[in-house]
Amino acid sequence: MTRTNSRRNQILRSQNVKEQYEKRNYSQLSRNFRLVEHEEIKIELNEVWGYSECKKDLSLLVDFLNDKSKFDKFNIHPPLKYVLSGTNGSGKKTLACAVAKMAKRPIIIIEPSFFYGQEVLEELDEIFSLINENFILLFKNIESICELPTEISQPLIESLIRHFRDFPNLVAFATFESEEEVYLSSQLFEKPAFEKMIELPFHELSTREKIVEELLRDIPVDSNIDVHRIALD
């Protein structure tokens, strides 16, 4: 049995995964990823403004994670690994965290700086040796991998695909912000890596108006302020 499998089985037998996480010395890794328990997350999908179609997909995923038996009955298996594509600030991380909260699962948020580490392959192995399939992973700015030299990016992509094969029931999200469509030809955006891309378009005007109203609610402003005009800008 390999060292990675041995440690993984140790985690799977653990009654307290977070305790196992905290026992490890991740002085370097802690700057590149963090564990968030579902109790710490404050927002659910129905509280996220807009993105009705996206929220339908993710609500189906939450239903599946909370009660797989009713899906097995009809041999339905929704995608488990998503790329959330949108501009900075569009709510990609919020949507992934909302899924974690509603599915009552811890989420590990992996920062883009993770991919630039000198021992990134070893550190990726460490993460997957730590978790089980009750976790959710969130890779922020996954295009960071594609920006690396090929001799680094290709082994990294192959390692990620291998780990995903080892964890077929693991839920994973990746955020994608680049306008470089050439990145989409990467193996990262094909099965068995990420299975589905969800594009988060710029909010429609009515949603932007609601956001502006919410942001201004506790701020003393002129009663004649034009929310519609602000939303247009």
Side-chain angles (χ1 to χ4, degrees), residues 68-130:
K68 293 181 181 179
S69 60
K70 66 181 182 182
F71 288 82
D72 292 340
K73 188 184 302 183
F74 299 102
N75 197 28
I76 298 173
H77 195 298
L80 300 180
K81 297 173 177 67
Y82 293 83
V83 175
L84 301 178
S85 174
T87 58
N88 184 32
S90 57
K92 301 179 292 296
K93 185 182 81 170
T94 299
L95 287 165
C97 288
V99 169
K101 178 177 179 61
M102 297 174 70
K104 297 181 173 59
R105 297 185 177 214
I107 183 169
I108 292 181
I109 301 173
I110 300 168
E111 299 293 336
S113 56
F114 173 83
F115 301 115
Y116 295 98
Q118 291 185 344
E119 299 180 346
V120 60
L121 287 172
E122 291 80 1
E123 292 178 353
L124 189 63
D125 289 343
E126 285 288 335
I127 289 178
F128 278 92
S129 73
L130 173 69

Side-chain angles (χ1 to χ4, degrees), residues 14 16-23 35 37 40 135:
S14 171
N16 189 332
V17 176
K18 188 174 183 181
E19 180 182 342
Q20 292 291 331
Y21 173 91
E22 290 173 343
K23 282 181 180 177
L35 173 69
E37 293 286 352
E40 301 173 50
F135 278 80

Side-chain angles (χ1 to χ4, degrees), residues 145 148-159 161 186-187:
I145 295 178
L148 295 168
T150 303
E151 62 269 22
I152 299 175
S153 64
Q154 192 57 36
L156 186 53
I157 291 170
E158 291 171 358
S159 176
I161 290 173
S186 167
Q187 290 175 279

